[in-house]
Amino acid sequence: MKSPAHNTVSQLIAAARELSVQVNRLKFAAPVTHVYNPLNYAWAAHELYLQKYGAAKKRVIFLGMNPGPFGMAQTGVPFGEVAAVRNWLGVATKVKRPVPEHPRRPVLGFDCPRSEVSGRRLWRLFAERFRSPEIFFADHFVVNYCPLAFLSESGSNVTPDKLAKNERARLEAFCDAHLRRVLEILQPEWLIGVGAFARQRAELAAAGTAIRVGQILHPSPASPKANRQDWGLTATQELVALGVWK
């Protein structure tokens, strides 16, 4: 008989594979010229992340928007800043290349020299508060709402909220269903959107359930507020005020 932990992991893996297949069928017009799906070319790393940390139910799930070009797009892990994923999470595998690959946004996997600030800030907060990933993941998990990264002709990042209305609707149908499936599997008490977009999708996914939804400031350096003081302190204060942390 399979253990409950094994069943949880296998269900998360199956859900991620299904989402990957579904979003691969979608087409996107300008300003999007390239679409990266790390659930394809970085699947080995994503699967390892789920295997290591997706066992058992979670009290709190943190929800991001979609992969950053120097984060999950490189490592296959949500908010996957290379150093944090390799050194703290202990996840490091060979990553393939997306096809077609944007000439200005190559995927170098764990050899990528760039650091994603959002991921660095998020995982630093968790590392400082919980010391080890095992302690953090005993009650917490991190997922992205959308698995795709969108790039323009110049190589700039196009976030899902900037997609054409009809494209966004088709994408959200798959991503909403996947998020609801993750909630069914992990049965959290809290679903915390990292930023306003993620909170809005979280509220829709958790509607009709007992799951409580909250929001913390997004750690992106594009946010003046996130740069005004230590982001980790701000996020901690927000989580304490919500009652998620003490």
Side-chain angles (χ1 to χ4, degrees):
M1 180 181 295
K2 294 180 179 179
S3 68
H6 178 91
N7 286 336
T8 300
V9 169
S10 63
Q11 289 176 67
L12 289 174
I13 289 173
R17 284 190 181 277
E18 181 179 6
L19 177 63
S20 180
V21 170
Q22 291 171 330
V23 297
N24 275 343
R25 303 190 186 115
L26 300 176
K27 303 296 182 183
F28 301 91
V32 175
T33 60
H34 291 70
V35 180
Y36 286 3
N37 182 357
L39 296 188
N40 282 350
Y41 63 84
W43 174 254
H46 188 75
E47 184 177 37
L48 181 57
Y49 169 70
L50 297 179
Q51 289 171 339
K52 285 175 69 76
Y53 301 118
K57 299 174 184 177
K58 309 293 182 182
R59 189 176 69 87
V60 183
I61 293 179
F62 289 94
L63 181 69
M65 179 186 278
N66 74 311
F70 307 110
M72 185 175 179
Q74 301 291 334
T75 65
V77 175
F79 288 94
E81 196 256 352
V82 172
V85 173
R86 180 180 56 226
N87 300 333
W88 198 60
L89 297 181
V91 172
T93 66
K94 184 175 178 57
V95 173
K96 300 177 182 178
R97 310 291 283 263
V99 179
E101 186 176 50
H102 198 296
R104 295 187 179 182
R105 289 291 180 264
V107 170
L108 304 176
F110 289 86
D111 293 324
C112 178
R114 297 282 296 269
S115 173
E116 184 188 65
V117 176
S118 295
R120 186 171 73 243
R121 287 174 171 173
L122 188 81
W123 293 112
R124 178 190 294 160
L125 167 62
F126 299 153
E128 290 176 349
R129 184 175 181 89
F130 295 95
R131 300 188 306 281
S132 76
E134 289 74 21
I135 295 174
F136 170 74
F137 283 104
D139 271 342
H140 302 75
F141 201 61
V142 181
V143 300
N144 264 338
Y145 172 73
C146 169
L148 302 179
F150 305 96
L151 301 172
S152 70
E153 185 176 6
S154 68
S156 62
N157 192 41
V158 180
T159 53
D161 57 320
K162 299 299 190 295
L163 297 172
K165 185 176 181 180
N166 62 326
E167 295 174 349
R168 181 173 168 178
R170 289 194 294 267
L171 176 66
E172 288 175 346
F174 292 133
C175 295
D176 287 345
H178 174 261
L179 179 54
R180 287 192 292 269
R181 180 63 182 136
V182 170
L183 298 179
E184 291 173 357
I185 296 167
L186 296 180
Q187 300 181 27
E189 177 183 339
W190 282 97
L191 179 58
I192 304 297
V194 183
F197 175 91
R199 175 188 53 77
Q200 291 165 3
R201 305 318 304 178
E203 288 175 341
L204 289 171
T209 74
I211 298 169
R212 290 184 279 182
V213 175
Q215 177 183 334
I216 59 173
L217 177 68
H218 198 286
S220 170
S223 166
K225 188 175 179 182
N227 298 323
R228 198 169 299 148
Q229 65 171 329
D230 177 70
W231 176 84
L233 176 61
T234 300
T236 298
Q237 290 171 341
E238 290 173 326
L239 290 165
V240 170
L242 286 167
V244 179
W245 289 354
K246 296 180 180 179

